Amino acid sequence: MAEIVISNIVKSFTDRQRNADILAVDNVSLTINDHDFVCLLGPSGCGKSTLLNMIAGFDKPTSGRIEVGGVVVQKPGADRGVVFQQPTLMPWLNVADNVAFHLKLSGIRKAERRARAQEFIDLVGLKGFEAHFPSELSGGMNQRVGIARALLMNPRVILMDEPFAALDAQTKIEMQEELVQIWQRIRCTIVFVTHSVDEALLLGNRIAVMSRRPGRIRDYFDFDMPRPRDVTSPEFNEAKRRVLGLIRDESRMSRQAA
Amino acid sequence: MRAATERLYPAPGLAWRQIQSKIERITVPLLILIGWEAFSRSGYLPPALLPPPSAVLAALADWMFAIDGSTQDYAGTWIRHVLASSSRVAAGFGIAALIGVIIGTGIGWSRFIEKTVEPTLQMLRPIPPVSWIPLAIIWFGIADKPAIFLVFLGSFFPILMNTIHGVKTIDRNLIRAGAMMGASERQLLWNVVVPAALPSIFAGLRIGVGSAWMLTVTAEMVAVKSGVGYVLWDTYYFLRYDMVIASMVSIGLLGYLSDIAIKLLMNRVLRWQRASTIQSREG
């Protein structure tokens, strides 16, 4: 069943200083099914984050439309949980209050907020840190809070914008494994933006490869390698070769064009 | 965590180092006081023109507690005047804080409010609050009101400017995160924008309370018949320079105490910042 339908999205920005229009996303259409883990893979500045922001409702497309769960996206809402590149927690709230922020906005009593937040704090492995402020935690721990906060809203889809990009290699691997486990357990739909081929192939069951700016979808394929995935296996390398080939074609074409 | 380790392994000579740091702090003020006392007693200037600190202290003590009646009518009236000044500061500053934060948040948040309201305020801002004294007197008469009005003017603009700055420099992603979690515009303002701007708002409050004391004293010199500023000006007419200086000391003390009060409140409200401030790193 189609969960997110992206049809003919065009997004251009106006560069006020140079008085020029910049085409960031060029006619992108994409259908994402229920329970998919889609990785949007592309080089920096290709418009993948812009696309994600439009699904989230932070940005409006210049033309085209996006539907989530059959409803056209007009503005941000709690049906779409977003995990940002930086944790983006409220620095004045402790871990428990950050995770339960959505419940506070809905006017739910403090005792119930605490109880419901606890479930997700435990899920992301932050038991014992409920009363800590974000400034007292590491980047990885803060990003876990960000994930718990998105999960608590029980959203139809979770949108993740390179959430592990700022983490060290070891923490990143840990978090990637946990994310897959969480996704398997709660079976939500995830759209995950990344510029890392390895990360995309490790996480996604569908991969959308985007071209350089203006962003277009170069390829969109299923990747059903069984989990846990071994990044050194021939199957993984086979897939990686294919994706890298696509990217190489792409850069050759853009060099010729230039 | 750090406090716990310190308790487990007390550094050798910790007590001595604390004493040493206290000595470092009081050396310069002590030298100034001694020098001043010596200079006043040397007879270089008539003692009435520059009373020594000991005389100022004696005047202050009598003003506070009516010890020997040396301050005549003022003996024992200190607390009354201090309360009079403080209540004006509290009223003017309180109104300024409330209105400054509300309007500042509005200007920082909404383009429309910024366009319609801010130009007027920016044109009023360069007018020194003191120059409002004549109008304040003819509008409000000689009493508390003109003083409160001036205090309001003096502390309103620093609070306003810092609130605007605080709201405008919020991390946009915090607002996005709030909207993502389903916040309405009003909830965003109350639950995200204002808390995020609090560090700036407090900076404005601290500057504002300084101007508040400045303007209370000025107003009391001209437009009111009570308060520490009034005593300062009145005793000047009677050539009681010990009392003039005692008033100055009292004003300094009150300003200092109100700054500490705001700082304590700030440390409480902004305790989430503690781990990220330079001060905590110095320990």
Side-chain angles (χ1 to χ4, degrees), chain A residues 53 58-59 76-84 86 88-93 98-99 101-102 104-107 133 135-136 149-150 153, chain B residues 171-184 187-188 190-198 269-276:
Chain A
N53 283 339
F58 299 146
D59 287 341
D79 59 327
R80 284 149 289 145
V82 180
V83 179
F84 297 83
Q86 299 300 323
T88 321
L89 306 174
M90 308 299 160
W92 55 92
L93 298 179
N98 260 297
V99 173
F101 193 74
H102 166 67
K104 189 185 181 189
L105 296 173
S106 326
F133 287 106
S135 60
E136 299 171 306
R149 168 176 84 173
M153 300 193 299
Chain B
D171 180 1
R172 258 169 59 91
N173 279 323
L174 281 186
I175 294 167
R176 286 182 159 181
M180 176 269 286
M181 284 180 278
S184 62
Q187 282 178 321
L188 276 181
W190 187 240
N191 291 299
V192 180
V193 175
V194 171
L198 273 179
V269 174
L270 303 182
R271 69 184 194 284
W272 50 272
Q273 269 198 328
R274 219 168 23 189
S276 55

Side-chain angles (χ1 to χ4, degrees), chain B residues 207-232:
Chain B
I207 302 171
V209 86
S211 340
W213 278 106
M214 212 155 70
L215 285 151
T216 319
V217 169
T218 315
E220 285 169 353
M221 286 177 175
V222 197
V224 199
K225 291 266 170 267
S226 65
V228 187
Y230 169 74
V231 175
L232 192 155

Side-chain angles (χ1 to χ4, degrees), chain A residues 21-91:
Chain A
D21 277 350
I22 294 166
L23 189 59
V25 176
D26 185 15
N27 199 23
V28 165
S29 296
L30 208 61
T31 302
I32 293 166
N33 291 329
D34 218 0
H35 309 321
D36 265 355
F37 194 141
V38 172
C39 285
L40 270 180
L41 173 66
S44 304
C46 77
K48 57 192 190 301
S49 294
T50 309
L51 191 59
L52 198 80
N53 283 339
M54 287 188 285
I55 304 174
F58 299 146
D59 287 341
K60 281 200 165 54
T62 308
S63 70
R65 73 183 197 159
I66 298 174
E67 285 175 30
V68 174
V71 180
V72 177
V73 170
Q74 304 277 11
K75 58 182 174 81
D79 59 327
R80 284 149 289 145
V82 180
V83 179
F84 297 83
Q85 189 165 359
Q86 299 300 323
T88 321
L89 306 174
M90 308 299 160

